Amino acid sequence: MGAVLRNYINGEWVASSATEHLNVINPATTAVLASVPLSSAAELDQAAQAAAATFAIWRRTPATDRIQYLFKLKALLEEHLDDLARTITQECGKTLAESKGEMRRAIENVEVACGIPLMMQGYNSEDIARGIDEIMIRQPLGVTAIIAPFNFPGMIPFWFMPYAIACGNTTIIKPSERVPLTMQTVMHLLAQTGLPAGVVNLVNGNKTVVDAMLDHPLIRAVSFVGSTPVARYVYSRAAANGKRAQCQGGAKNPVIVLPDADIAMTTRIMADSAFGCAGQRCLAASIALTVGEARHTFTDAIADVARSRVVGYGLDDGVQMGPVITAQSQSRIEGLIQKGADEGATVLVDGRQSKIPSYEQGYFVRPTILQNVDPASEIARTEIFGPVLSLMHLETIDEAIALINSGQYGNMACLFTSSGAAARKFRYEAEAGNIGINIGVAAPMAFFPFSGWKDSFFGDLHGQGHQAVEFFTQTKVVVERWQDWSRQF
Ligand code: NAD
């Protein structure tokens, strides 16, 4: 058993009183990295009490002072980027280059949140009536909670945390119990910035901690990222308790390839989208809809690339794809590939039963391609969350867009083409919140919202950028009359 992880509450590393623990496992080597406590509701309450007490002081700290800690954090994250990336690869399985890319995205959000003094400004109108002025002020909410999934242990808490605290809130982070190590390092770095105790707290655990967050009277807002059933549950329970909630859910991202697309470029980009991070991105391409002649050109090219992708331990040189997160994930993905075959698809490239030399016990699934997937089949609708690309063929872009818009999810939809008119039509009609045109992973930069739609998002205000500032502040409107007694009106 590895070291037992601690919680970080009110500026102290505290041993959890949990009776249950889970092993944190490196999915490539299956080595046990640590033991994570499944903390209790009482421990979450301690964090909430500390965060609430700190809020009284933190909200009075000028925004210009609050962001100084974020500037320091940005410098520390840069300095420790390689260590953080190694930790992500060890606990989550993605390649070192992917882990570094993930941390760059995290840092980008810190940079954007450093602009809070400008971003959280209100507005005003003089003389809404003679001698009367009206002002809108943005104020922080209080204690907020962040619940993260396993697939981006370094980045996803940063879609929320820098904005929450820059706006004057305090927060509690619950990382995924499968990948809790990266946030341990982040907390150590936050402590080095001199950030006052209680502004950011960390409580490890699972559903017990989440439920305690959703029910806690001191917690005003909840930011969640994870699967759709849990997102829906978190959203409804938070709302029933009068909290704000922004809940990002699962996805089944379709990509249209038109016959006029640059096939070499499309194939390269699509391979990274479908198989990068072993398909465990919420913006991974899951379905390729080939139109007309693209059926032949794209299918042959993507099959070649899938077969030749170098799979292995993400810390080893030259590896292009790592394992999936757990043995359960591996067997679930393999089961879904079989389901596709049972439903009539051809397994054009089969990544099941993969054994990687030196890592024979690792949870590997090689890139897989299912051809002639029936749009009405279950596999066409189910989020696989593994390196599996389903191919479907259609005759027109209209049919392809109609198929996309009939789906349950709306996280991302992409189009590969050299036609501006087709691109505009797609951008206009596709029902998804993140659109890529000749892009395979349309991940919004930190100064844009991460705009999932339909069952990929429950709420109104998304993470990142201006919407994060709106989410983490409440508006107060002041109407004022100040009589000027020295003047005759
Ligand atoms: P998950 O839903 O299993 O877990 C997410 C978080 O919720 C974890 O912290 C977990 O401890 C907690 N949790 C799990 N079950 C719970 C329950 N019954 N009640 C309360 N809390 C619970 O998700 P995951 O497997 O960690 O992550 C993968 C999923 O996340 C995929 O569906 C993926 O598409 C999605 N995701 C979405 C986005 C997005 O931006 N939309 C980004 C990343 C991941």
Side-chain angles (χ1 to χ4, degrees):
M1 190 172 96
V4 180
L5 303 182
R6 291 173 177 238
N7 295 329
Y8 186 69
I9 298 176
N10 207 19
E12 306 277 344
W13 287 100
V14 269
S16 168
S17 55
T19 50
E20 260 187 277
H21 293 76
L22 293 179
N23 283 337
V24 182
I25 293 171
N26 180 324
T29 65
T30 69
V32 176
L33 302 170
S35 169
V36 63
L38 301 183
S39 305
S40 63
E43 290 171 295
L44 182 275
D45 176 57
Q46 285 164 18
Q49 301 290 347
T54 304
F55 174 65
I57 305 153
W58 184 241
R59 69 156 291 200
R60 289 184 152 74
T61 306
T64 47
D65 292 351
R66 293 196 300 253
I67 61 169
Q68 298 311 313
Y69 301 103
L70 292 179
F71 283 112
K72 287 183 191 148
L73 179 62
K74 139 98 178 152
L76 286 165
L77 289 169
E78 295 281 1
E79 194 185 319
H80 294 270
L81 192 134
D82 287 356
D83 295 345
L84 285 158
R86 282 181 74 83
T87 303
I88 293 173
T89 295
Q90 284 166 340
E91 66 177 346
C92 183
K94 60 185 70 171
T95 68
L96 197 56
E98 288 169 340
S99 299
K100 287 182 184 174
E102 171 175 346
M103 283 316 300
R104 290 246 70 85
R105 289 280 184 162
I107 292 170
E108 207 184 84
N109 278 284
V110 178
E111 291 167 351
V112 172
C114 286
I116 284 293
L118 186 64
M119 290 167 78
M120 77 178 284
Q121 281 178 339
Y123 49 81
N124 58 61
S125 297
E126 260 189 343
D127 290 320
I128 49 135
R130 192 173 291 272
I132 300 180
D133 305 327
E134 187 157 345
I135 303 165
M136 190 280 275
I137 301 167
R138 289 197 174 278
Q139 294 192 336
L141 301 169
V143 183
T144 72
I146 298 167
I147 303 156
F150 80 80
N151 62 331
F152 283 94
M155 174 182 73
I156 287 179
F158 281 86
W159 285 350
F160 314 109
M161 181 268 280
Y163 305 96
I165 66 170
C167 288
N169 303 281
T170 55
T171 196
I172 307 166
I173 300 175
K174 191 206 83 65
S176 163
E177 61 276 31
R178 284 178 272 176
V179 292
L181 292 169
T182 308
M183 274 301 122
Q184 296 267 311
T185 308
V186 168
M187 290 298 139
H188 280 290
L189 299 181
L190 266 170
Q192 284 178 42
T193 66
L195 186 73
V199 175
V200 179
N201 305 274
L202 175 92
V203 179
N204 287 294
N206 61 3
K207 179 173 167 55
T208 304
V209 174
V210 173
D211 287 348
M213 286 171 153
L214 298 175
D215 294 342
H216 203 290
L218 290 175
I219 293 181
R220 293 283 317 278
V222 177
S223 304
F224 171 90
V225 182
S227 58
T228 288
V230 184
R232 187 184 272 117
Y233 163 75
V234 168
Y235 185 65
S236 53
R237 188 151 167 176
N241 286 321
K243 301 184 196 311
R244 280 189 189 191
Q246 46 179 195
C247 301
Q248 301 186 206
K252 180 83 181 171
N253 301 306
V255 179
I256 302 177
V257 184
L258 293 186
D260 64 2
D262 174 336
I263 292 297
M265 177 191 75
T266 304
T267 307
R268 187 170 41 78
I269 294 174
M270 279 292 287
D272 179 57
S273 179
F275 310 130
C277 297
Q280 298 173 121
R281 284 187 188 121
C282 63
L283 296 179
S286 180
I287 303 170
L289 303 161
T290 51
V291 173
E293 249 321 281
R295 172 182 198 144
H296 304 295
T297 47
F298 177 71
T299 303
D300 293 346
I302 194 78
D304 283 350
V305 175
R307 284 189 196 100
S308 59
R309 202 149 183 99
V310 182
V311 180
Y313 184 20
L315 288 185
D316 291 345
D317 285 342
V319 168
Q320 294 173 306
M321 193 184 102
V324 297
I325 188 71
T326 55
Q328 292 86 330
S329 259
Q330 182 187 30
S331 55
R332 186 183 54 79
I333 294 162
E334 294 192 343
L336 285 168
I337 296 169
Q338 186 56 45
K339 171 110 190 137
D342 295 345
E343 288 181 323
T346 309
V347 188
L348 181 63
V349 181
D350 192 347
R352 289 174 289 180
Q353 307 297 322
S354 293
K355 289 281 172 239
I356 305 298
S358 309
Y359 305 107
E360 285 81 2
Q361 303 307 311
Y363 314 134
F364 291 96
V365 180
R366 283 182 188 274
T368 297
I369 295 185
L370 296 174
Q371 197 182 14
N372 297 325
V373 171
D374 179 351
S377 63
E378 203 179 310
I379 196 77
R381 307 269 158 190
T382 307
E383 179 179 38
I384 299 175
F385 222 54
V388 181
L389 183 66
S390 296
L391 303 183
M392 298 180 198
H393 308 291
L394 297 147
E395 289 312 315
T396 66
I397 184 174
D398 289 293
E399 286 170 23
I401 293 175
L403 184 59
I404 289 176
N405 291 350
S406 71
Q408 173 193 0
Y409 300 104
N411 217 31
M412 179 185 82
C414 300
L415 174 76
F416 285 85
T417 185
S418 55
S419 156
R424 184 180 189 278
K425 175 186 174 66
F426 180 75
R427 188 182 75 190
Y428 195 88
E429 294 180 9
E431 291 174 8
N434 300 295
I435 297 289
I437 307 285
N438 295 319
I439 297 286
V441 180
M445 297 291 282
F447 33 91
F448 285 89
F450 195 105
S451 290
W453 280 17
K454 296 165 93 174
D455 279 2
S456 297
F457 181 71
F458 302 90
D460 324 276
L461 296 167
H462 297 88
Q464 300 197 144
H466 285 292
Q467 291 201 11
V469 177
E470 285 189 48
F471 183 80
F472 288 116
T473 54
Q474 53 197 341
T475 54
K476 181 179 274 182
V477 175
V478 183
V479 184
E480 293 189 331
R481 173 192 283 124
W482 289 101
Q483 186 92 25
D484 184 349
W485 302 109
S486 66
R487 284 190 50 185
Q488 199 71 31
F489 288 99

